[in-house]
Amino acid sequence: MNVNQQTPMASPYGQPQPGYGQPSYAPLGGGYPAPYAPYNGPASAYQHGAPPQGPARAPPTSAPPAVSSSQGYSQYSQGDIQNGPPPVAQPMQRPAVSQPYTPGAMNLSGPHPSYPQQYAVPPSMQQVTNQMTGMQIGPGPPPTPAGPGYAPPLTSQPPISAAYSVAAPPSYTQGPPPVSADPPQPPPHSEAGGPQPYYGGPPPPQQTFPPSFSSAGPPSQAPGQQQSFPSGPPPVPQSTYTGPPPPTAQTSFPPPPSSQASSFPPTAPPSTAPPAQYPGPMPPPGPPSQPPFQSGPPPQSQLPPTSMAQANHLPPGPPGAMQQPPPQSGMQGGYPPQQNGAFGQVRGPQPGYAGQYPGQPSYGGPAPAPAPAAPSQKRLDPDSIPSPIQVIEDDKAKTSEPFTTGVRGQAPPLVTTNFQVKDQGNASPRFVRCTAYNMPCTADMARQSQVPMAAVIKPLATLPPDETPPYIVDHGEGGPIRCNRCKAYMCPYMQFIEGGRRFQCGFCSCVTDVPPHYFQHLDHTGKRVDCYDRPELSAGSYEFLATVDYCKNNKLPQPPAYIFLIDVSYNAVKSGMVNIVCQELKTLLDYLPRENPDTDSVVRVGFITYNKVLHFYNVKSSLAQPQMLVVSDVSDMFLPLLDGFLVNVSESRVVIESLLEQIPEMFADTRETETVFGPVIQAGLEALKAADCAGKLFVFHTSLPIAEAPGKLKNREDKKLVGTDKEKSLFQPQVGFYGSLAKECVAQGCCVDLFLFPNQYVDVATLGVVPVSTGGSIYKYTYFQAQADCERFLNDLRRDVQKPMGFDAVMRVRTSTGIRATDFFGSFYMSNTTDVELAGLDCDKTVTVEFRHDDKLSEETGALMQCAVLYTSCSGQRRLRVHNMAVNCCFQLADLYRNCETDTIINYFSKYAYRSVLTTPTKTVRDTLVNQCAQILSCYRKNCASPSSAGQLILPECMKLLPVYLNCVLKSDMLLPGGDVSLDDRAYLRQLLSCMDVAESHLFFYPRLLPLVKLEGDSLPVAVRNSEERLSKGGVYLLETGLHLFLWVGANAQQELLLNIFGTPTFSQIDPNMTSLPILDNPFSQRLTEIVESFRAQRSRYMKLMVVKQEDKAELIFKHFLVEDKSGSGGASYVDFLCHMHKEIRQLLS
Amino acid sequence: MATYQEFIQQNEDRDGVRFSWNLWPSSRLEATRLVVPVSCLFTPLKERPDLPPVQYEPVLCSRANCKAVLNPLCQVDFRAKIWACNFCFQRNPFPPSYAGISDVNQPAELMPPFSTIEYIVQRGPPTPLIFLYVVDTCLEEEDLQALRESLQMSLSLLPADALVGLITFGRMVQVHELSCEGIAKSYVFRGTKELSSKQIQEMLGLMKPAASSQQGRPVAPHDAAASSCKFLQPVHRVDMNLTDLLGELQRDPWPVPQGKRPLRSTGIALSIAVGLLEGTFPNTGARVMLFTGGPPTQGPGMVVGDELKTPIRSWHDIQKDNARHLKKATKYYEALANRAAVNGHCMDIYACALDQMGLLEMKCCANLTGGHVVMGDSFNTSLFKQTFQRVFSKDYNGEFRMAFGGTLEVKTSRELKVSGAIGPCVSLNAKGPCVSENEMGIGGTTQWKICGLNPSSTLAMFFEVVNQHNAPIPQGGRGAVQFVTQYQHSNTQKRIRVTTIARNWADAQSQIQHIETSFDQEASAVLMARLGVFRAESEEGPDVLRWLDRQLIRLCQKFGQFNKDDSTSFKLSESLSLYPQFMFHLRRSPFLQVFNNSPDESSYYRHHFVRQDLTQSLIMIQPILYSYSFHGPPEPVLLDSSSILPDRILLMDTFFQLVIYHGETIAQWRKARYQEMAEYENFKQLLQAPLDDAQEILQTRFPMPRYVDTEHGGSQARFLLSKVNPSQTHNNAYGWGQESGAPILTDDVSLQVFMDHLKKLAVSSAA
């Protein structure tokens, strides 16, 4: 990915690169180069985005490169993906260049990287030639060696890197081009383009003949292409793959490279005019391509078809490379070089590809057209396409310093990376993440690029212990100082003028007098001398104490209250839920949120149980026994008692315990199966109203509320509607009652958390309306069984009760003139277009805000945004939390593409899509997503990438994972349900996603798959990609999705491993129903437990552990999360989708 | 031959019946000319210690629309074992069990002393008595405490197997579940929403519609009873539980803002009580006892808003049609009362408040169901405490003086028809041949439901003679009336009491003198008063007074002896001599005069007036005044201002008040504490005498009267002064100076003036 990101570098390279590895890049490599670009970026300070990478990577390059390179290489070898990484390394150096290049580079980038690589590896020529290789090379080796020199090219590369998009094939082709490129670097560029095109390459075929893809794909299509593509990439990541075929491949490749290289070179030339090439080649490639590929193997074919072939074939090539890489992989560090070399060679091979192909044939299996070879070639080697793992690891590697927020427009490390943040004027990425840290200055640009401008804001995020929570600022009785016009709060962007007597608002430029009590002199730079003493002048995030003017009814708020509403119908009792809740509450009530850990919480509690009627409890401390008040008049809910319902835990402890003891007994013999739901929430709401406070309801509910009462529901689950235009109605609430109830709840500051224990359809879509609108959460435990699910439920409950939260909150996002917040996603209610009202806001809730231009922004001042959240703390204090964020603005699209964050974009896209299903048929939603993505990438290709073959897929470095992630979104249960996914599950996921932050959504869509081989030291094993291919029968893997944990045990897992984990040496003795691992006295088991616990600790919801034995029934569920594979519900594999995306892009371009 | 006095007394003692006329005019025309209708006061459950009930079923006439009970007036053919119904003349064979009947072996019901007889019958399983407490919690702490204690105390008075239930209300209504261990459970209803009986039962979980419909069989009564157990439990089982519950009873916790009344959901509370009983124990004796400390202020049945600045309606408002909630609330409570009555449940109201509490609107709850109404200033007074205790008083057999679910059926011989009844009853709408078209009181039926009965409950029954003017005096010369009262005795037995009476017919033209002597002026006064009060419920006060006056004048014209236009010549015979005086006091009584009384008080007085027996009713019309002095033993004196003398102690009993008045001199002596000196022991005794007598009255009176001890010039003396005939006023006191007495400051006419006018009008030829 990095590589891709580096694309920019590529661009730079692109120019220069053309000659360079472009070819090589062209293949996937192109993408990689991009990564480099980033590096360059860093170095040159390209685009911020890039720079970071640059630096980080740069250093790593050597080391990381190794990795990356290895991967990269592997990638290279395999696919462009790797290239991505490598480029990174290189980019470092090239940054400066990259920038220049960037424009063209974008495309070029892809190739560029290769350049670097090539450079890196002089042989690169060859390597380069193999764009693929180049790619790989670029990443790994190039960085170090070539890096510097190439750096410039790299720069260009970065952007290009993205190129991956192109079908792997291109890469292959590119691969070849690179070779040629090497010589005629320029060409390579083209090739580079090619490389990117690689995929594109395939695309060409596709284009020409969709078949081509198909060809690629067809053969093994999914597999084929993927493989082929991946093959390309795989090498890199798979370097690991090394193990597998690589060797051979490599060997084969190597040879091909040369040839390819040569061939590529030709292509390379095209690179200069990549498009042309593509076009030209592309078409021809299609048919020929395959042949080329096949022929590819035979260098000739490659040459001729070069562009085409390359494009198409390239991919294959990469695969070959990939294979090769694997072996290399072993030697990551080495790989790069080797790869470079090898790849280069390999690339060279591109011609070699041909050869590779041959080799690949194995892969090729897929290659339809190209007889045996072709198939193999066509199959995209998965290793050759951008690898999320690679990108993640690269980012980790380059992040060593704390991230300081002082620099405007600087993109933070990825969410998967552990890093420390120092607040120096902008909000920490833990609070705010943006899709782009360099926004387009004009609406036109924004429209053209289609890159969403959004920020993902988690206002009350919990910070790690080593970071300081926001300071609290008290501006006295007058309240926080604000701009007179736009009402923005005092922040570092306020410019003090006239000696400090007035200040100019950074948002609206209005000048406001400084109140006397706030006056302070300015120093010679125009800063207030107390600037660093005041958080509001020096920090990105801080809190103001709000005055009574900021309170409802101008009255200071009461401390909030928590009300527990427990379903005691037959199902609830029978499943053990009632008992568990009551037992747990006895202790849990001691952990209600408080601000000062030494004092008792001021949160009051109340209890209600219900089935068809409601039971309120009077737990006044003066009573000897609790009193139960039954309200059967559910049609018109009211609070039957005032005094004694909400009590202080410490005062009424005895009575409460007695109550909790008795509730399960009282209902032990209940035969009531019907429940109500609307009145339950109304009851809680009435209680809060009566107490005149905000608060939270914890509703423990089991079934569809069919009893006669407001909000009564009927079972409308109709699977026949799924997939039709009417499907959307199933996600809309079936009655309007809950909507208006939610509105009332919000007005009172009544947040509702819903714990569901359904045994059948409960209509989550409708029941969830209130929780979702009030900032609450939904937890769902289908077929709850006390024994199996108790732990998960209790942990969720504990966390939910204890977590810090704010109540009765209003959030407002202010921005500089020129843009404005236009759309909001999350769990909240909006009564107008600007204020986000949250009855409750906890530390896990995230709001995604979309911005639109309403005027021009200026490069000079950048774009500012200030998110202010007014809320009542758990101690009843009214506060204002302010997060400030400044990003750069640009007139160059390349700058935009260089500073995007794919994870955040995906977060935005997914939320957008998940919301759209309410109003639009699911298919349309999917198409829209694909379209927008294609537009983003094609815009890049058109405007930023260096010219290259149209068959080349060129991805921006920062976005090279966009396709894979997007595919994950598209095939998620919400948008593409499998047969076994219930409507409730989908509605649940829909609501779950709506308030996820970037880290969660990332994991949600691309789960983390860890091989449990050696668990030594504190570091985690490097994750592997989510594909079945990556699983070794002899291994044990841990898969984390954010909602589930799976422990997959291979059928041939080593006895020692099994002994260590399960305490039994035989596979068959493992109990697939176990929910927790045995605690064994061996370091491995202990470490594994630690890891599992640490994973759970990181997530807002407890993840239940499922042990999945290979070839067990449960494996189907597990496989569902192997998101790079074709899904059971018809979702495309990564490779297939990449090809498809490439096709779309090409269509847009033509 | 006994005098009519004795005859009347004897009849009353035996049958609990007092007729206005003891000889009946034989034609309709003559009857109407008598002014006072043929009517009677009937006390169905008059205590008869000498009357042991018989343990078998009554024998009924076999004619479908007659069903009269075999009685001493029937002609019996002992040989043929056949009896003839004296109402329809149907000849009926005796049932097999009477096979041994003969001249000398007669069943009790054929013996003349058993004109009133009581049967114990077996009808279904015995059902326990049910007491449902409906308690207002919007009380001052002191009041609530007193009420709590009274209620706890009452638990010990209830029969051990009686079912008891508790509903409390304030802003919300809580139905307490009594069966549960551990947590005290209650069902809560909001006080503003009217619910149908079905809804209430559903919400209380009293209906199992799903179960019954599934199994396709109706809910067995046992099921209903079992499920109701949650709320109605035998006293012996929940004694402790309920005592604790009552002990923990808190004041309504909802804050009452300044300037507001507490929100009191009396209407809903009562409707839930009614609904609960309706669903669980229909047609079973039950008592809903409402304890309230103020007016209903919300929901249906609301009498006044919660704004203190809006005062509760007064007579003035009502006359001006300015009482917003009056009609709606009245209608609401009426509907409730009717529902309760249908199921045989009676409703008591125990209201203790300084201000009005909406009795005017709620009165029918008690009036229609035979419930008690008790009004006091506070629950923390002996008036309430003792009255409440007296509800549970027991008779000579150790049984409660209360009966439930009574049905009174009246059968008449052919010449007579039933016009209606006035008393604590509702019509059962039983049409029959003896229903008169001419309604007086609650008419149009031969059967009435009296849900709550006690030995003093008395109904006024009105009859119409339908014999035509030219028709001969009916054969046998006697008309008969049979009262059949079925009820649930407090010991859960079902009983039927049958009273059969007969009176001679007389030709009014030839036997007017006889008829005149058969006039029972006491009974007539009360009967006319009941008619008046009944009218006053629906008519303007002055109209009623005018009607009463006209009746009185007509009566005087009919029976007085006078020369035309010579008022001095006017004379009334002995049998009518007191009647005008009763009317005079009736006109001044709070039953017809609303001046100086709140609507609640008027309702309260009227409520008691229409249900007490003759003696008590007469006291209410014309209070009794005793005088104590050194001149002799205590003596009754005229209820006249002239009786108020300085050296007398007066004891006045108005039924509602018991006033001891110390004359000026006595008061001075008392102030000087002569009674504490040994040598004035006699004075001490004099002071003590009225106290003792008062105590005696207090012992038996229900409800407890207000006890007033006052003296000359005391502010409380007004109770006495407002009752006595103002023969001396500030206008004439000095003119009439020769007599000593206390002038009354009033513009009311005195009895003397009243009589003068009456005579004048009676003799006037114009009338």
Side-chain angles (χ1 to χ4, degrees), chain A residues 964-988:
Chain A
V964 60
Y965 287 166
L966 186 72
N967 187 35
C968 295
V969 173
L970 293 177
K971 62 201 251 188
S972 60
D973 286 340
M974 184 65 224
L975 297 181
L976 190 67
D980 57 340
V981 180
S982 70
L983 277 172
D984 272 352
D985 286 334
R986 296 174 69 193
Y988 174 61

Side-chain angles (χ1 to χ4, degrees), chain A residues 509-527:
Chain A
S509 304
C510 170
V511 174
T512 306
D513 288 339
V514 174
H517 68 88
Y518 196 67
F519 175 79
Q520 186 59 263
H521 293 287
L522 308 183
D523 66 12
H524 63 283
T525 61
K527 273 184 174 172

Side-chain angles (χ1 to χ4, degrees), chain B residues 276-435:
Chain B
L276 169 61
L277 290 174
E278 205 166 42
T280 52
F281 290 98
N283 299 314
T284 306
R287 211 170 189 103
V288 175
M289 308 172 94
L290 170 69
F291 302 88
T292 181
T297 45
Q298 70 168 357
M302 149 175 172
V303 165
V304 65
D306 66 341
E307 288 283 352
L308 267 177
K309 64 184 179 198
T310 331
I312 194 167
R313 79 277 174 284
S314 63
W315 278 120
H316 184 73
D317 294 329
I318 294 170
Q319 276 150 14
K320 292 257 166 107
D321 200 17
N322 208 9
R324 279 184 59 205
H325 307 288
L326 176 67
K327 282 197 183 119
K328 232 173 109 182
T330 307
K331 205 173 148 201
Y332 175 79
Y333 289 110
E334 235 173 58
L336 265 187
N338 278 315
R339 273 169 55 196
V342 165
N343 289 294
H345 304 139
C346 85
M347 299 163 87
D348 294 349
I349 299 173
Y350 303 89
C352 287
L354 290 169
D355 195 2
Q356 301 187 73
M357 50 65 61
L359 193 59
L360 173 65
E361 288 82 355
M362 300 168 71
K363 64 182 178 217
C364 33
C365 289
N367 283 349
L368 301 187
T369 64
H372 300 304
V373 174
V374 175
M375 233 168 63
D377 291 342
S378 158
F379 287 108
N380 197 19
T381 56
S382 61
L383 186 147
F384 166 74
K385 291 178 183 170
Q386 297 194 21
T387 304
F388 183 54
Q389 262 184 27
R390 209 154 290 165
V391 171
F392 302 100
S393 65
K394 296 182 177 177
D395 65 11
Y396 49 91
N397 282 331
E399 285 171 344
F400 290 94
R401 287 194 165 101
M402 57 175 88
F404 296 96
T407 321
L408 171 62
E409 183 173 9
V410 177
K411 299 179 190 308
T412 58
S413 43
R414 290 180 177 171
E415 303 77 15
L416 215 53
K417 291 201 174 187
V418 188
S419 293
I422 296 177
C425 60
V426 290
S427 159
L428 278 178
N429 265 326
K431 307 291 182 200
C434 51
V435 174

Side-chain angles (χ1 to χ4, degrees), chain A residues 617 623 625-633 635-643 659 662 666, chain B residues 172 174 181-190 193 195 202-204 245 248 250 253-255:
Chain A
Y617 294 94
L623 294 174
Q625 278 282 340
Q627 291 176 347
M628 178 202 235
L629 301 161
V630 184
V631 172
S632 336
D633 183 6
S635 60
D636 192 7
M637 193 38 65
F638 61 95
L639 187 67
L641 77 171
L642 187 60
D643 197 21
L659 171 68
Q662 291 186 56
M666 274 192 293
Chain B
M172 308 284 168
Q174 278 176 267
E181 308 286 323
I183 286 187
K185 261 193 201 177
S186 58
Y187 284 66
V188 186
F189 296 82
R190 90 186 315 167
K193 190 174 163 196
L195 297 167
E202 255 171 24
M203 288 175 184
L204 290 175
L245 200 57
E248 279 188 353
Q250 295 297 313
W254 300 86

